[in-house]
Amino acid sequence: DTGVSQNPRHKITKRGQNVTFRCDPISEHNRLYWYRQTLGQGPEFLTYFQNEAQLEKSRLLSDRFSAERPKGSFSTLEIQRTEQGDSAMYLCASSSPEINSPLHFGNGTRLTVT
Amino acid sequence: EDKVVQSPLSLVVHEGDTVTLNCSYEVTNFRSLLWYKQEKKAPTFLFMLTSSGIEKKSGRLSSILDKKELFSILNITATQTGDSAIYLCALLRGSGSARQLTFGSGTQLTVLP
C-alpha cells in the first residue's frame, strides 16, 4: 500500500498523559499536513510542513501540541498533558510539489482521552 | 474568515435516485475547491475545481463550480448503496505557501437498497 500511513490506529489514554502519533506520507510527496476531526464536523487544519520546515500552524494548535518532520519524510504529532477535549480523529495528509495538487489523507489515529 | 457551508446536512435516498449536494463558500483569495468522500476512515479525493463552469466528471459523479455565485454542486446519478458516505467540500486559499484546506461540515448521504 503506497498511501499515507498513520500509527497507531487507535489510542486510549488517561487525562494528563502524553501521546505521540506517527505519519508516513506518500513517498514522493514533500508536503505534509495534520488535521483534527471531531464527530459531525469536517477536518480542521492544525499544521503544515514543506519538506522538514513547518510553514504554518493553526491557532488551534496550543502549546501542548508539537509536530516535527525531522528528515522531511515521516512526521510525528505529540500532545502533552492530554485533556478530554483532545479526543478526536487526527488525520495526516500529504501532497506533491505541483501547484494545486490535492491532499491525500491517511486513515487517521482516533484518540480517546478518559 | 473563510467559510464553507454544505447543504443538506443529511440526505436519505433509494438506490437509483439522483442526488445534488451543495457547497457555498466565502474566501478572500480563492485558489480551488475540492470534494472528498469519507466513509469510515480517510477522506478520499474526488474532484478539484479551479475554473467556473467547467464540469468535472468521474463515472456517475460530476461537479461544477460557479465562482460568481460562490458555490459548487456535486451530482451523483443512479446512486448505489456504496455511495453512502459523508461528502466533504473544502476550500484551498491562494497566496504564497498557504496550503491549508478549510472544510465544510459535510453532507451525510445514505443510500437505501
Side-chain angles (χ1 to χ4, degrees):
Chain A
D1 185 350
T2 56
V4 177
S5 174
Q6 291 189 247
N7 286 291
R9 298 288 297 277
H10 303 276
K11 178 72 178 177
I12 301 173
T13 192
K14 291 190 174 170
R15 193 176 52 179
Q17 298 294 306
N18 298 344
V19 294
T20 300
F21 311 140
R22 177 178 170 126
C23 171
D24 288 89
I26 293 170
S27 58
E28 61 269 23
H29 286 183
N30 68 333
R31 297 191 176 121
L32 187 147
Y33 314 77
W34 285 99
Y35 282 78
R36 179 172 67 189
Q37 187 175 24
T38 53
L39 199 62
Q41 299 298 318
E44 295 174 297
F45 172 79
L46 293 178
T47 191
Y48 153 63
F49 289 86
Q50 183 166 300
N51 300 312
E52 66 276 6
Q54 188 173 18
L55 295 186
E56 285 185 55
K57 287 170 67 169
S58 164
R59 290 187 301 267
L60 292 175
L61 213 64
S62 78
D63 56 6
R64 296 184 298 105
F65 287 69
S66 62
E68 293 183 344
R69 195 181 183 201
K71 296 179 182 176
S73 57
F74 74 91
S75 175
T76 57
L77 177 69
E78 181 184 15
I79 310 174
Q80 296 182 323
R81 304 181 303 282
T82 51
E83 301 173 357
Q84 287 186 318
D86 297 331
S87 295
M89 175 76 86
Y90 289 84
L91 292 164
C92 177
S94 67
S95 68
S96 70
E98 284 75 34
I99 292 174
N100 285 342
S101 58
L103 275 64
H104 296 270
F105 285 85
N107 284 333
T109 293
R110 182 167 293 287
L111 173 67
T112 302
V113 182
T114 61
Chain B
E1 188 178 320
D2 299 346
K3 204 164 148 186
V4 180
V5 178
Q6 292 188 245
S7 62
L9 290 181
S10 65
L11 191 54
V12 180
V13 300
H14 286 92
E15 272 194 315
D17 289 350
T18 293
V19 297
T20 298
L21 309 182
N22 303 292
C23 175
S24 64
Y25 64 88
E26 293 174 21
V27 65
T28 49
N29 191 0
F30 178 89
R31 177 176 281 176
S32 57
L33 185 144
L34 294 84
W35 284 96
Y36 284 84
K37 176 183 181 183
Q38 186 173 28
E39 295 173 87
K40 295 213 184 301
K41 300 169 190 172
T44 52
F45 171 73
L46 295 175
F47 298 112
M48 175 181 280
L49 302 156
T50 307
S51 302
S52 250
I54 298 172
E55 186 184 53
K56 294 260 179 124
K57 203 166 165 60
S58 175
R60 296 176 295 101
L61 276 67
S62 63
S63 185
I64 198 160
L65 175 67
D66 185 328
K67 286 166 76 172
K68 184 179 172 191
E69 300 297 330
L70 306 183
F71 77 90
S72 173
I73 59 172
L74 176 68
N75 278 321
I76 309 175
T77 59
T79 50
Q80 301 171 358
T81 55
D83 295 327
S84 296
I86 297 171
Y87 289 84
L88 294 163
C89 173
L91 270 184
L92 181 64
R93 183 160 37 89
S95 81
S97 64
R99 288 292 184 276
Q100 55 175 288
L101 288 174
T102 301
F103 282 86
S105 297
T107 293
Q108 171 80 62
L109 174 65
T110 304
V111 182
L112 301 174

